[in-house]
Amino acid sequence: MFTLSPVVSLTLRIASVTSKNIGIIHVDRHADIQEKDLDERMHTTPYFHATNIPNVPAKNLVQIGIGGWQVPRASLKNMRDRQTNIFTMQDLEDFGMDKVIEMALEAAWDGCDAVYMSYDIDSLDAAFVPGTGWPEPGGLLPREAHKLVGGVAKEGLCGMELVEVSPPYDVSDTTSLQALRLIVETMGSLVSHDKMGSHKDIIDKEFTPF
Ligand SMILES: [Mn+2]
């Protein structure tokens, strides 16, 4: 028995009740796509395992904000081998947020009927999120992040997770407030674009607990 990270367990559950393909948009400073870390399937590995699910194609994985310290060679090799999509912080600078959102949606939805969003709070600049395990300088500003999640959600989501908030490290609940606001922005965008619950059409299989 091993513990599945949220993106693996949630996408596995969603993927198990549909015959359709699911894309993932993942916002993080870290790619987290190596097979193992210190011989374990832990927090730097979930996108390797999530994209092993047959109806979660690696070509529909879009990772935005990548560029932190913890992106080891094993991850880079898997990105290249699996032809995933990476937008670094520099890409955001060069293309601008609107263009990155447009390209991310195009890649994630290509051949898919639903998109799942995974959001790591360490994608925000370290200045805004003291309560996280691996803070990184040079990340997103909060208002950029709000625009990003709102833009990603406008075409609908079959699920969302917000990870890496660590209350014991937090200061004045700053990190929790940032995380909450990102969830509210996402849900607000789903509502204002009339997409709340729009993924339900993809459910065409019985859920079997595992
Ligand atoms: Mn991270």
Side-chain angles (χ1 to χ4, degrees), residues 50-75:
T51 55
N52 278 343
I53 300 168
N55 55 338
V56 184
K59 76 171 183 61
N60 300 110
L61 171 64
V62 181
Q63 301 184 292
I64 303 172
I66 307 303
W69 294 116
Q70 173 60 15
V71 183
R73 288 191 178 89
S75 282

Side-chain angles (χ1 to χ4, degrees), residues 26-32 43-44 66 70 120-123 132 134-136 163-164:
H26 165 219
V27 186
D28 199 332
R29 290 290 276 148
H30 313 106
D32 291 357
H43 62 288
T44 54
I66 307 303
Q70 173 60 15
D120 184 329
I121 201 68
D122 71 31
S123 59
T132 193
W134 201 306
E136 294 276 5
V163 300
E164 303 276 334

Side-chain angles (χ1 to χ4, degrees), residues 160-180:
M160 176 195 184
E161 66 188 11
L162 200 147
V163 300
E164 303 276 334
V165 174
S166 178
Y169 296 171
D170 210 357
V171 176
S172 302
D173 294 335
T174 302
T175 312
S176 297
L177 286 167
Q178 298 283 9
L180 175 64

